[in-house]
């Protein structure tokens, strides 16, 4: 009865078309085939290890599973109408190839532990890929920082608060700021991978099995770091999907912030960067336009990534133990977020790597005397004036300069407390060099930071390699 679902035994009539269409997941869970085959091979080895099947039977089923894998890889696998998901499709085909022996594949197993196993294997591999893409972006940011320079004569631009020019910062420091946030994303992914690296195989439908299966054996076979401790939890836990979606949403938010800056930087109003033609788009109507669509979409897609996370959390929130079909809703948001974040990371990395920066424009925007106001106040502090008084004194000079349309330096030169010596603080390029404290935006702490960033990227690469292990 190849055209009946695998569970048809207790039913007397065939499933309705509407049921099949509404409940199927094959259309989106096909991509789990590799992980389902891996899980099934481990399971079969486990059955032989526990002497539930003979070595010969195991060989025959594993050969059928390998045939399925070949058919999947070459897109020759023929699906039938009753294949409701990838797991039933593979088992159906194995039974077709290996006959009664194939029918032993599902011994001591349920789709509930099977699907959780496949999804954890998939996450482990795909999150590691995402981490590698994030690290590539960190490399690009680090490279651009090195090009911008970390020393006294290096490029600088205005640092902003409230999108108002605040103080000059090294351009390298600005690039590095984004790199540090992406490195935390890699760290978070590594921890998520570590936490999800637990095999649920052997939990059965919800309560384990009366057969002498060996969950430790299959966990080891699959390269998991550990096995489940509670079968109810094993089949119902989707924390790992929610966590993955959170990590991806936060990467999306980081990309969105970066994207927003590049939309500004490439505007004529800022004029800090010009995109390479290969990484920008035109307008269908306005011939002169060159748009930063990658940056805009990185910003736009963050909404969808946050939606995928909140959608799944809403699905999970009222779920009684253990498996419920609602859990099938974990896959589409997960696959979508992994796909979108992977594409966004690669596009943004290419866009930043190839853009031309107008460091002269950045410099002239940062050379406004007003950006040195804090240095004047700190200079007074160094001479013994309490900071609040120094702030008020400089604030009054700034206000007068604006009111009377005179240069701040003129007022400083003639000021009794400040005077000619303090005028030097307002000269172009001086402000950024005075950001000397640890972690600050100037060249002195920059020399330390550039080294720290380089080694943090190396450490994170090793971390990802170690949590993914030999798989
Ligand atoms: N396609 C289902 C899912 O993704 C597989 C598990 C179905 N289990 C069940 N007892 N109906 O969750």
């Amino acid at each position: 009865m190849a055209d009946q679902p695998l569970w048809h035994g207790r039913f007397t009539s065939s499933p309705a078309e509407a049921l099949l269409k509404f409940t199927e997941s094959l259309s989106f869970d096909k991509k789990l085939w590799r992980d389902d085959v891996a899980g099934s091979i481990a399971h079969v080895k486990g059955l032989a290890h526990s002497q539930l099947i003979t070595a010969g039977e195991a060989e025959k089923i594993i050969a059928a599973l390998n045939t399925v894998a070949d058919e999947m890889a070459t897109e020759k696998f023929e699906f039938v109408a009753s294949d409701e998901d990838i797991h039933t499709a593979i088992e159906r085909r194995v039974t077709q190839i290996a006959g009664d022996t194939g029918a032993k594949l599902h011994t001591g197993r349920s789709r509930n532990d099977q699907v959780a196993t496949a999804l954890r294997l998939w996450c482990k591999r795909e999150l590691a890929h995402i981490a590698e893409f994030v690290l590539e972006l960190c490399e690009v940011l680090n490279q651009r920082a090195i090009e911008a320079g970390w020393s006294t004569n290096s490029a600088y631009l205005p640092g902003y608060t409230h999108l108002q020019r605040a103080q000059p910062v090294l351009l390298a420091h600005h690039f590095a700021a984004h790199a540090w946030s992406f490195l935390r994303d890699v760290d978070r992914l590594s921890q998520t991978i570590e936490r999800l690296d637990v095999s649920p195989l052997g939990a059965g439908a919800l309560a384990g099995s009366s057969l002498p299966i060996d969950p430790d054996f299959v966990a080891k076979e699959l390269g998991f770091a550990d096995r489940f401790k509670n079968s109810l939890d094993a089949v119902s836990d989707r924390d790992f999907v929610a966590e993955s979606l959170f990590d991806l949403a936060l990467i999306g938010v980081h990309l969105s912030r970066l994207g927003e800056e590049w939309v500004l930087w490439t505007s004529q109003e800022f004029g800090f960067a010009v995109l390479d033609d290969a990484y920008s788009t035109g307008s269908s109507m306005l011939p002169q336009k060159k748009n930063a669509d990658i940056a805009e979409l990185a910003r736009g897609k963050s909404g969808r990534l946050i939606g995928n996370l909140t959608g799944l959390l809403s699905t999970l929130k009222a779920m009684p133990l253990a498996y419920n079909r609602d859990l099938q809703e974990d896959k589409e948001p997960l696959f979508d977020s992994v796909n979108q974040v992977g594409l966004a990371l690669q596009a943004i990395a290419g866009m930043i790597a190839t853009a031309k920066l107008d460091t002269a424009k950045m410099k002239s925007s940062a050379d406004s005397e007003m950006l040195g106001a804090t240095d004047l106040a700190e200079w007074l502090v160094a001479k013994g004036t309490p900071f609040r008084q120094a702030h008020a004194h400089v604030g009054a000079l700034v206000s007068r300069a604006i009111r009377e349309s005179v240069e701040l330096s003129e007022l400083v030169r003639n000021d009794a407390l400040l005077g000619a010596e303090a005028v030097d603080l307002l000269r172009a390029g001086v402000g950024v060099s005075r950001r000397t404290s640890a972690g600050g935006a100037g060249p002195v702490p920059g020399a330390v930071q550039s080294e720290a960033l380089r080694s943090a990227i190396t450490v994170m690469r090793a971390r990802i390699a170690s949590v993914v292990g030999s798989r």
Side-chain angles (χ1 to χ4, degrees):
M1 294 246 284
D3 57 341
Q4 293 290 353
L6 292 185
W7 37 258
H8 76 276
R10 60 97 67 218
F11 292 82
T12 48
S13 66
S14 296
E17 197 56 31
L19 174 131
L20 292 176
K21 276 193 176 153
F22 183 56
T23 59
E24 69 85 27
S25 55
L26 182 66
S27 54
F28 51 84
D29 66 16
K30 268 187 205 148
K31 64 172 75 204
L32 292 176
W33 69 262
R34 223 178 279 279
D35 305 292
D36 188 75
V37 168
S40 293
I41 290 177
H43 179 64
V44 171
K45 287 184 180 168
L47 293 177
H49 168 79
S50 302
Q51 291 168 0
L52 287 160
I53 58 174
T54 66
E57 287 173 324
E59 242 171 69
K60 196 168 170 189
I61 305 173
I62 290 171
L65 282 162
N66 284 326
T67 304
V68 166
D70 284 344
E71 290 174 352
M72 288 285 178
T74 55
E75 289 178 23
K76 294 210 179 79
F77 189 95
E78 281 174 31
F79 291 99
V80 301
S82 59
D83 292 338
E84 58 176 275
D85 58 24
I86 190 62
H87 319 287
T88 50
I90 291 175
E91 190 193 334
R92 188 231 349 121
R93 179 73 181 123
V94 165
T95 311
Q96 208 176 32
I97 299 168
D100 284 349
T101 311
K104 295 189 173 185
L105 167 58
H106 214 50
T107 310
R109 183 177 77 169
S110 155
R111 254 189 308 157
N112 299 350
D113 57 347
Q114 184 181 1
V115 69
T117 304
L119 200 56
R120 282 176 187 260
L121 290 173
W122 188 88
C123 275
K124 214 172 139 177
R125 181 180 62 244
E126 296 300 324
L127 293 186
H129 283 154
I130 294 291
E132 278 155 20
F133 290 140
V134 181
L135 284 167
E136 286 308 308
L137 177 57
C138 291
E139 298 279 9
V140 166
L141 292 164
N142 182 45
Q143 192 48 42
R144 297 251 51 171
I146 291 168
E147 282 162 30
W150 286 100
S151 57
T152 317
N153 294 318
S154 297
Y156 58 91
L157 76 167
Y160 296 83
T161 62
H162 316 271
L163 203 58
Q164 307 286 335
R165 289 177 189 169
Q167 286 186 305
V169 298
L170 282 181
L171 177 55
H173 191 65
H174 189 105
F175 279 126
H178 286 292
W180 288 111
S181 74
F182 287 116
L183 283 172
R184 285 193 297 279
D185 291 329
V186 177
D187 190 32
R188 217 176 335 267
L189 286 169
S190 78
Q191 291 170 350
T192 299
I193 293 171
E194 243 165 16
R195 240 186 316 277
L196 69 77
D197 197 7
V198 178
S199 172
L201 193 55
L206 76 166
S209 177
S210 67
L211 299 168
I213 55 168
D214 187 345
D216 286 303
F217 177 89
V218 290
K220 212 157 170 242
E221 273 295 315
L222 287 168
F224 280 115
D226 199 1
R227 63 138 169 105
F228 69 97
K229 299 296 183 286
N230 179 304
S231 60
L232 288 171
D233 182 42
V235 292
S236 61
D237 169 24
R238 292 294 183 277
D239 291 3
F240 70 100
V241 182
E243 264 194 71
S244 303
L245 286 173
F246 173 76
D247 296 353
L248 294 162
L250 191 53
I251 294 170
V253 167
H254 289 155
L255 287 170
S256 175
R257 295 198 311 170
L258 186 67
E260 168 65 6
E261 271 183 7
W262 278 78
V263 170
L264 293 171
W265 281 19
T266 54
S267 71
Q268 276 167 26
E269 283 67 17
F270 270 76
F272 287 179
V274 178
L275 298 183
D276 189 87
D277 280 1
Y279 287 92
S280 45
T281 50
S283 156
S284 61
M285 181 176 161
L286 314 171
Q288 86 282 12
K289 289 297 290 295
K290 183 166 175 180
N291 298 328
D293 284 23
I294 291 176
E296 289 172 36
L297 271 173
R299 193 176 58 187
K301 288 193 194 259
S302 60
R304 165 173 171 182
L305 299 169
I306 295 165
N308 284 341
L309 169 64
T310 55
L312 180 75
L313 288 173
S314 312
T315 297
L316 296 180
K317 78 173 178 54
M319 202 68 46
L321 292 175
Y323 179 85
N324 301 276
R325 192 62 177 267
D326 316 42
L327 293 178
Q328 181 170 291
E329 286 294 299
D330 58 357
K331 288 169 205 66
E332 281 166 294
L334 177 66
F335 296 160
D336 181 56
S337 288
V338 165
N339 181 38
Q340 291 299 327
V341 168
L343 294 172
L345 284 164
Q346 294 171 80
I348 286 280
M351 181 192 81
I352 295 178
T354 55
K356 280 203 179 61
L357 299 170
D358 190 340
T359 50
K361 182 75 205 291
M362 292 180 179
K363 182 177 180 306
S364 68
S365 304
D367 282 342
S368 153
E369 290 187 345
M370 291 299 182
L371 272 66
T374 312
D375 286 303
L376 295 174
E378 288 177 358
W379 188 84
L380 288 175
V381 166
K383 301 250 178 240
T385 311
F387 177 74
R388 196 42 65 208
Q389 286 167 23
H391 184 280
H393 185 78
V394 176
L397 290 183
V398 166
S399 159
R400 212 180 118 202
I402 294 168
R403 215 171 41 245
E404 298 175 5
S405 297
V406 292
E407 294 291 336
L408 182 60
S409 48
E410 279 315 302
L411 302 182
V412 168
R413 192 185 316 282
N414 300 321
D415 184 74
L417 279 180
L418 289 158
E421 204 188 320
V423 173
D424 273 355
L425 300 174
L426 303 181
R427 275 194 299 110
V430 171
V432 71
S433 69
R434 289 177 58 84
R435 314 268 67 82
T436 47
S437 59
V444 172
V448 179
Q449 185 185 171
S450 62
E451 275 313 304
L453 182 57
R454 179 66 262 154
S455 73
I457 294 175
T458 309
V459 166
M460 282 303 153
R461 274 205 191 284
R463 171 95 47 91
I464 291 299
S466 91
V467 292
V468 180
S470 53
R471 284 185 57 78

